Amino acid sequence: MRTGEGIYHCIKVQQFSRDFLEEICDLADKIREIARTKAGTEYLSSTLNHKQAMLYFVQPSTRTFLSFYSACQILGIKCAEVRDPKTSSEVKGESEEDTVRTFSSYFDLIIMRHPQANFAEKIAGLLDRTERPVPVINAGSGKDQHPTQALLDVYTLRRSFHHRGGIDGKQIVFAGDLLRGRTVRSLAALLTRYQGVKQYFVAPPEFQIGQDILDFLDKQGVEYELTENFEAVIQGADAIYMTRLQDEWDSAENTRSVIDIERFSMRERHLQMLKADAVILHPLPRRLEIEVAIDSDPRAGYWRQVRNGMWARAALIAMTFCRKQNIYEYYLNNNL
Ligand code: NCD
C-alpha cells in the first residue's frame, strides 16, 4: 500500500498522511478549474483514456457509484459495472475472490463496495500475489471504512474553512448512528491528521462510536467528548456532521426502539443556535435527520459535498496512476 503520488490500493484512512491530504485537495481544485473550459475537459479526458475500470458495487449506492463513474469519465477511463452478484458467475458457485480476480484480467482499476469489513483489503492482498496486481479502491466496506468519503469530507471541510485558517483547531460534531456509520468512523480517524481538532460524538450509548476509533484518537492525543446532548454542542461547532440510522444492519424496529432520532436531528429552529460560519454536512442519503427547509440555508454544505466527491475521487484516481505532474503542467502552461 504505497501512499503519495502512486498511491496504490486505497483501503483505509489510516494510510493517508497530512501531506497526502493536502496534495489530493490541491489536485482536486486544479482538476475542477481545468474542467471549466471545453479544452480543459478534453485535456483531462485524454489523461487516462488508455485505462479501464470495474465498478464492483454489491451494496446499494447512488452517490459513491455515480461520482466514481463521473470521475472516471472526467479522466477518460472507460467503465464497466457489476452491481448485482446474481448476474455474475457467483450464482454458479464461483467464489467472490475468483470473481474479482477475473476483473483484474480485463481492467486496470477495481473500485469496490462490499458488505464485509475487510473484503477490499483481502482482495488487494490477493491481487498483489498475482501477475496482474491492479489497484483496488475501497468505496465502502461493511460498517468499518469508507476512505474516499472521508477524503471528500476533508476536501469539503478544507474549502469551507478556506478563509478561517483551514481545518486545524476546529470543533467538529458528529450526530446519529455513530456505531454503524462507516463515514463517521473514517472521518473521525482522518481528522487526527489535523492539529487541535476537537471532536464531539452525539449519540445514545447503544449507538456511540466504536471503542476502536476512540482508542485510535487516544493514541493520537486527540481531544473528544461523548454526549447525548445535541443542542449543547452544536452551538460552538464549526462543522456538524449528521448521519442517518444504519438500520440495514438490524431491523428498523429494533433500531428505533433504542434511538429516538428526533433527539439527534437538525431542525430549522436549531439554525439560530449555530455559528454564522458553521457548516452542516451529511454523507447522504438523508431521511428525517435534516429538515428539507434547512437546504436553503447557506450553512447547508451537503449538496456541495456531493459534487466535491467527484473532484476528490478524480484526484485520487489521477494520483493512483501518477498523473499529478501532468495535470499541474497543463494547469501552469494554460495560465490557470
Ligand atoms: C454512506 C455509506 O454508504 O456509508 N453513503 C455514501 O456513501 N455517501 C452513508 C450512508 O449510507 O448512510
Side-chain angles (χ1 to χ4, degrees):
M1 251 182 258
R2 277 179 277 141
T3 49
E5 248 244 292
I7 178 177
Y8 206 63
H9 305 299
C10 168
I11 304 297
K12 51 185 171 191
V13 288
Q14 284 79 357
Q15 74 187 93
F16 304 143
S17 65
R18 169 75 181 252
D19 285 349
F20 175 78
L21 294 174
E22 301 299 348
E23 264 183 278
I24 203 126
C25 293
D26 288 341
L27 185 60
D29 279 340
K30 299 283 176 293
I31 292 175
R32 159 178 227 153
E33 278 183 58
I34 294 172
R36 289 215 173 101
T37 65
K38 186 164 188 292
T41 58
E42 280 163 5
Y43 161 72
L44 287 170
S45 66
S46 72
T47 55
L48 288 168
N49 60 2
H50 57 307
K51 299 287 183 193
Q52 299 198 56
M54 164 51 77
L55 295 158
Y56 182 56
F57 274 60
V58 293
Q59 263 192 315
S61 176
T62 302
R63 274 152 291 268
T64 307
F65 178 84
L66 288 175
S67 71
F68 267 117
Y69 184 85
S70 321
C72 286
Q73 302 288 308
I74 289 170
L75 300 169
I77 299 176
K78 295 165 206 79
C79 293
E81 62 185 75
V82 169
R83 302 195 66 175
D84 180 359
K86 287 193 206 77
T87 64
S88 86
S89 281
E90 285 173 44
V91 286
K92 299 184 196 167
E94 185 172 53
S95 70
E96 284 183 295
E97 285 79 0
D98 282 2
T99 301
V100 183
R101 186 164 176 177
T102 305
F103 300 152
S104 74
S105 308
Y106 306 129
F107 298 96
D108 308 292
L109 170 65
I110 299 174
I111 301 166
M112 64 162 79
R113 169 170 284 199
H114 197 277
Q116 208 176 298
N118 58 356
F119 190 69
E121 187 164 15
K122 194 161 100 187
I123 291 297
L126 183 146
L127 293 183
D128 281 346
R129 297 188 294 278
T130 69
E131 283 163 35
R132 228 172 160 270
V134 304
V136 171
I137 297 180
N138 177 3
S141 51
K143 290 174 252 182
D144 186 35
Q145 282 265 352
H146 197 344
T148 64
Q149 177 73 41
L151 284 180
L152 77 92
D153 291 340
V154 158
Y155 180 50
T156 304
L157 289 169
R158 198 180 90 145
R159 287 175 71 85
S160 305
F161 302 143
H162 182 62
H163 298 295
R164 298 173 55 202
I167 298 175
D168 294 315
K170 297 295 182 290
Q171 305 216 1
I172 318 281
V173 169
F174 294 97
D177 185 342
L178 309 185
L179 180 66
R180 302 169 300 181
R182 56 191 173 193
T183 62
V184 171
R185 292 171 49 79
S186 291
L187 182 56
L190 196 54
L191 285 172
T192 61
R193 301 296 186 243
Y194 294 87
Q195 298 301 314
V197 169
K198 179 154 184 193
Q199 307 191 33
Y200 295 86
F201 299 104
V202 194
E206 296 85 345
F207 285 109
Q208 252 312 346
I209 191 145
Q211 191 57 45
D212 58 331
I213 297 293
L214 297 179
D215 289 345
F216 183 71
L217 301 191
D218 284 334
K219 224 167 90 194
Q220 310 288 318
V222 167
E223 251 194 278
Y224 62 83
E225 246 177 74
L226 309 183
T227 174
E228 288 190 64
N229 194 341
F230 183 67
E231 291 191 359
V233 292
I234 57 173
Q235 311 191 21
D238 297 296
I240 302 147
Y241 195 96
M242 304 298 298
T243 63
R244 71 175 172 93
L245 294 178
Q246 307 280 318
D247 48 23
E248 64 269 39
W249 300 106
D250 189 356
S251 76
E253 247 169 54
N254 242 353
T255 299
R256 275 188 217 114
S257 68
V258 177
I259 181 169
D260 169 14
I261 193 62
E262 196 50 39
R263 291 177 52 219
F264 306 93
S265 294
M266 178 72 72
R267 298 287 170 250
E268 229 181 336
R269 68 185 160 80
H270 289 128
L271 290 175
Q272 58 182 7
M273 302 179 190
L274 305 185
K275 284 189 177 177
D277 51 8
V279 58
I280 306 165
L281 300 180
H282 193 307
L284 303 179
R286 87 170 133 188
R287 291 180 182 170
L288 303 171
E289 61 280 352
I290 299 182
E291 210 169 354
V292 175
I294 292 177
D295 293 11
S296 50
D297 190 280
R299 291 166 291 185
Y302 31 95
W303 293 110
R304 294 195 289 279
Q305 200 180 349
V306 173
R307 189 156 171 86
N308 288 341
M310 180 178 76
W311 304 117
R313 288 176 171 127
L316 174 70
I317 295 170
M319 282 175 75
T320 301
F321 291 110
C322 303
R323 286 299 181 279
K324 187 181 96 180
Q325 227 34 59
N326 308 60
I327 293 172
Y328 267 82
E329 273 162 30
Y330 179 92
Y331 183 86
L332 293 173
N333 292 340
N334 289 277
N335 302 316
L336 289 168

